[in-house]
Amino acid sequence: MSVGVLAHLFGSLPAKQLAAEVSEAGFSHVQLALWKAISDVDFSEPGKLSPGLASYIGEEFAKRNVSISVLGCYLHLFDRDVERRRANHARFKELLRYARSFGCSIVAAESGTLPGSDYNEQDWKAMRHALEELAEEAERWGVFVGMEPANGHLIGTASELGRLLEEVPSPNVGVVIDPGNLLTEGNFATQDDVIREAFDLLGDRIIAAHAKDRFLSEDGKLLTASPGYGRMNYDLYLKLLHRYKPYVHIVMEQATRDVMAYSKQYIERIRAGYEGQVTN
């Protein structure tokens, strides 16, 4: 399976133009965040989607041999403002209802953040309740919620996501894995342990994967780069990904237009070394 890309890395464009540019860049699938990537329809509020509109967008990509592997819905799921939280849940549920019309079965999310990571038990309960609601909606429509742990978020580590999955034991909730999101300035030197722990705890629940690269600057700051331009252990990442979830969709999350082709080839070259091997 080839490597896909975040659609909005090409900018916010009309659906037809966006599909054409993704195809011309050599990608066969995308993660599509409607309000970031599509400019000819206003998706800033829920209620705009219909089977026809979703099918139209999906078909524009399909005409160019590009599938929509993931719908992105990165909204604050435990917002302490109840009205905003409800609005965010409504937008997420709308994507779950119409995902199949896009030709997609996954709607991905991170939990959300607070300034200073000032989280409490009420935030956890709100997040759990949100995921329970979203899981119920996903089960109703036969699609998946893809939760992605990310450093600094309420759900910031593999173990925190593992706990949440135990508390919301729905088969329609899966994991979007991204080791780059689990690395910090403090654990970068032991990144192999972080990557292995993520797969030990979450590997059997993975439904999609992200790809970015990380490295430490000279002054010790953790920075982000396009795949192949950092110091993340991609050999280990892709080896474990093949072992747990062979041929799962990989979506390139960080890349500028001038390095997309190299980064895509970098991932595919490493991945090709494992494809065809018997997993155990």
Side-chain angles (χ1 to χ4, degrees), residues 184-185 188-189 214-223 231:
T184 67
E185 294 167 8
F188 193 78
R214 308 303 297 272
F215 67 98
L216 290 177
S217 65
E218 292 184 0
D219 59 354
K221 300 296 183 183
L222 185 64
L223 302 178
R231 293 291 182 269

Side-chain angles (χ1 to χ4, degrees), residues 211-213 225-230 234 252-255 259 262-264 266-267:
K212 63 168 69 73
D213 217 331
S226 303
Y229 289 88
Y234 262 90
M252 204 159 63
E253 198 178 39
Q254 176 80 20
V259 301
Y262 172 82
S263 291
K264 179 175 180 289
Y266 171 78
I267 297 169

Side-chain angles (χ1 to χ4, degrees), residues 52-70:
L53 177 56
S55 295
Y56 160 73
I57 294 172
E59 288 165 4
E60 287 302 320
F61 281 90
K63 287 176 186 176
R64 295 160 179 83
N65 297 314
V66 179
S67 64
I68 299 171
S69 53
V70 181

